[in-house]
Structures are given as structure tokens and as C-alpha cells.
């Protein structure tokens, strides 16, 4: 079991790893060794995720989600297969943790009496400043 949050954990069987050849650093070794990892996780078929988390996770996954509801994460940042496996798994776990947090719905509030009064006083003060700048008929120019 892979712990994600206090309530959510994933079974090892839910995650499928495929090793492929990576591009990038590694010299001649990169042509011989399959060090890159493609991690696959079936969101819709996971029995350990609540429905709300599944929906948010599908939205978060974006282009990494296939039409079948499988998240594909590619990791080839490191030169070793083991570090790439850890990197891909850490990214999946972080994505699920982010999806596990329910968004807080905004409740509309009304402005307080004090804030209304302060706003109106500020407007009156500004209006007075602008009124002083205006030319008045019968002034010194006339």
C-alpha cells in the first residue's frame, strides 16, 4: 500500500510501470538502458479513491489523462531507473493529494456599516478636493 493521505492509500497493483529508453544525459549508457519510466494509474477503476477525488483528479491531470481515464506520468529526469520510479510515484501522489483537498465554496457576505461609512467619507473627501480645483464663475480671472 502506498499512503497518500490519512484516509487514502493506493494498492501497489493499481500502478503499472513501463520502462523505456530515455533521452537526455547518460552518454552511451542512454542507448543501452531503459531508465525512463512511464507510470500508469487508472483513475476511474481505482477502488480506493472517493468519487469526488476522482473527478477533481481527472480535472487536474489535464493532458496526462487518456480517454479511458488512465493517468500517464513520464519520468526521465534522472539517470537511474530507481530514481525515475520514485520521481514518477511522488508526482502521482502529489497530484492525488492536491485533488483530495475539497475546494472551499465562497459564501457571499455584505459590507459592514463601518466599511460603507468609510467608503462614502472617502468619496466625499475626494469630491471636495476636485471641487476646489474647478474654476468658479466670478473668480479672479473675471
Amino acid at each position: 500500500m502506498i499512503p497518500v493521505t490519512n484516509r487514502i492509500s493506493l494498492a501497489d497493483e493499481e500502478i503499472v510501470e513501463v520502462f523505456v529508453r530515455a533521452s537526455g544525459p547518460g552518454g552511451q549508457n542512454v542507448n543501452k538502458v531503459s531508465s525512463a519510466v512511464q507510470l500508469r494509474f487508472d483513475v476511474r477503476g481505482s477502488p480506493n479513491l472517493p468519487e469526488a477525488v476522482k473527478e477533481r483528479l481527472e480535472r487536474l491531470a489535464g493532458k496526462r489523462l487518456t480517454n479511458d481515464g488512465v493517468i500517464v506520468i513520464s519520468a526521465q529526469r534522472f539517470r537511474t531507473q530507481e530514481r525515475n520510479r520514485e520521481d514518477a510515484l511522488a508526482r502521482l501522489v502529489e497530484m492525488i493529494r492536491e485533488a483530495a483537498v475539497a475546494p472551499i465554496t465562497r459564501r457571499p457576505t455584505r459590507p459592514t456599516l463601518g466599511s460603507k461609512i468609510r467608503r462614502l467619507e472617502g468619496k466625499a473627501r475626494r469630491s471636495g478636493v476636485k471641487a476646489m480645483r474647478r474654476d468658479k464663475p466670478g473668480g479672479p480671472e473675471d
Side-chain angles (χ1 to χ4, degrees), residues 11 16 22-24 26 37 40 46 58 66 69 79 109 116 123 129:
V16 178
S23 62
V37 178
R40 294 174 176 271
S46 175
E58 285 187 15
T66 65
R79 290 176 64 163
T109 57
K116 283 182 185 177
K123 285 169 73 83
V129 168

Side-chain angles (χ1 to χ4, degrees), residues 3 8 11 15 19 23-24 36-37 40 47 54 57-58 72 76 111 120 123 133 139-141:
I8 300 173
I15 295 171
F19 299 99
S23 62
V37 178
R40 294 174 176 271
K54 287 181 185 181
L57 186 58
E58 285 187 15
V72 179
Q76 60 179 18
L120 293 174
K123 285 169 73 83
R133 293 180 189 155
E141 293 93 25

Side-chain angles (χ1 to χ4, degrees), residues 33-84:
V33 180
S34 298
S35 59
V37 178
Q38 266 193 352
L39 185 140
R40 294 174 176 271
F41 174 69
D42 186 6
V43 178
R44 295 178 190 154
S46 175
N48 298 321
L49 293 179
E51 285 301 316
V53 174
K54 287 181 185 181
E55 290 172 16
R56 287 194 294 269
L57 186 58
E58 285 187 15
R59 255 185 272 122
L60 271 175
K63 65 181 181 179
R64 293 173 287 215
L65 187 73
T66 65
N67 292 335
D68 301 328
V70 177
I71 293 178
V72 179
I73 295 177
S74 298
Q76 60 179 18
R77 200 181 317 181
F78 301 103
R79 290 176 64 163
T80 63
Q81 200 178 73
E82 188 56 39
R83 297 243 342 246
N84 282 328

